[in-house]
Amino acid sequence: MSKPPAERTEQLRADGSLRHLLTLDGLSRGMVESLLERAAHFSRPFNEPAARSTALRGTTVAIMFAEPSTRTRVSFELAALRLGADVVNIEVQLSSRRKGESVLDTVATLEAMHVDGLVLRDAEADVPDLVAAHVADHVSVFSGGAGSYSHPTQGLLDALTVLQHKGRVEGLRVAIVGDVRHSRVARSAWRAFSLLGAGEIRLLAPTALMPDTHDFAGCTRHDSLATGLTDCDVIMALRIQKERMTEADIPSEREYFAQWGLTIDRLKYARENAIVMHPQPMNRGVEIDSAVADGPQSVIRDQVRHGVAVRMAVLEQALVRQS
Ligand code: NCD
């Protein structure tokens, strides 16, 4: 379930520049920092107009998501449009993939229509790598989430959110809370925060939702909010991913909230100025109480805002050579 693709596709060009973004695993700290710096340049306060450029004029980006999405899909689309690219969305449920066409045949069709960038989301962890291994030299592939394995732009937007609120990731104590086992968001956040020098990354989950011991190297593991949240600077709550579970994994929502729900009272275990994150979609009253999600320590809306900025930085970095 958290298995990485059997064959990893090279993400960098021979000159070390970014061609595809499939995972944060293996990227250098310098590469991640330069993407975040560029994303910070594109990020604007809520009350200001969005950043725009014409860097991708003449470039075509296709977005093909085989799993539901609101934020990731829309923010990739807005990012491409605000850089001046043409954008097409392929409704997988309405496309020939429903008739049994293989993903590689669909991609070959898009290539014949001069698509330069492909953004993919799939329940199978290896689909973005597989496509990246087969596309023409001028085409770049971006993962918008692959199984439980990877969600690299989410990891970057989470890092940018921490940087903008805390000024650094270095040395911070981070708690990742909830369904860590099934979460590609947690895996990419762990990569990003580790690369940027987080002091401690804690996983807080009931046994059934804790990842296997070989996974998440270097993280500490906690079986209660009371011990796990103590002195944390950053709290990342995760959605219970019922779609990736068997019935047996899931306690009732009421039981889960009683033990693991992030409430105002439980937030007090963490540092007073701790920030609260959630990738959304949220199950209010299950993994997080509305008073926390909408409260003064929540940076959840900033995560969404930074999602567009990060995706602009990534698309620009990989595709600008084509234009
Ligand atoms: C997440 C995802 O799809 O991995 N959402 C997102 O992209 N912001 C998290 C989730 O579905 O729980």
Side-chain angles (χ1 to χ4, degrees), residues 74-154:
V74 173
S75 61
F76 261 115
E77 179 166 357
L78 288 177
L81 289 169
R82 287 176 185 165
L83 292 169
D86 297 330
V87 181
V88 282
N89 273 284
I90 294 100
E91 291 295 338
V92 174
Q93 293 308 318
L94 301 178
S95 76
S96 291
R97 278 183 73 188
R98 271 292 293 278
K99 301 183 192 166
E101 182 171 76
S102 79
V103 66
L104 291 180
D105 283 338
T106 308
V107 166
T109 299
L110 295 169
E111 271 187 342
M113 297 180 189
H114 295 274
V115 161
D116 308 287
L118 272 164
V119 186
L120 302 174
R121 168 172 284 194
D122 208 281
E124 298 300 325
D126 51 4
V127 164
D129 279 79
L130 175 78
V131 171
H134 285 86
V135 288
D137 287 349
H138 71 283
V139 176
S140 292
V141 177
F142 307 93
S143 169
S148 298
Y149 160 65
S150 171
H151 195 349
T153 54
Q154 180 77 37

Side-chain angles (χ1 to χ4, degrees), residues 260-275:
W260 290 96
L262 201 54
T263 58
I264 293 280
D265 270 353
R266 288 171 171 164
L267 207 51
K268 292 184 187 139
Y269 294 123
R271 293 229 157 106
E272 211 180 323
N273 61 353
I275 55 170

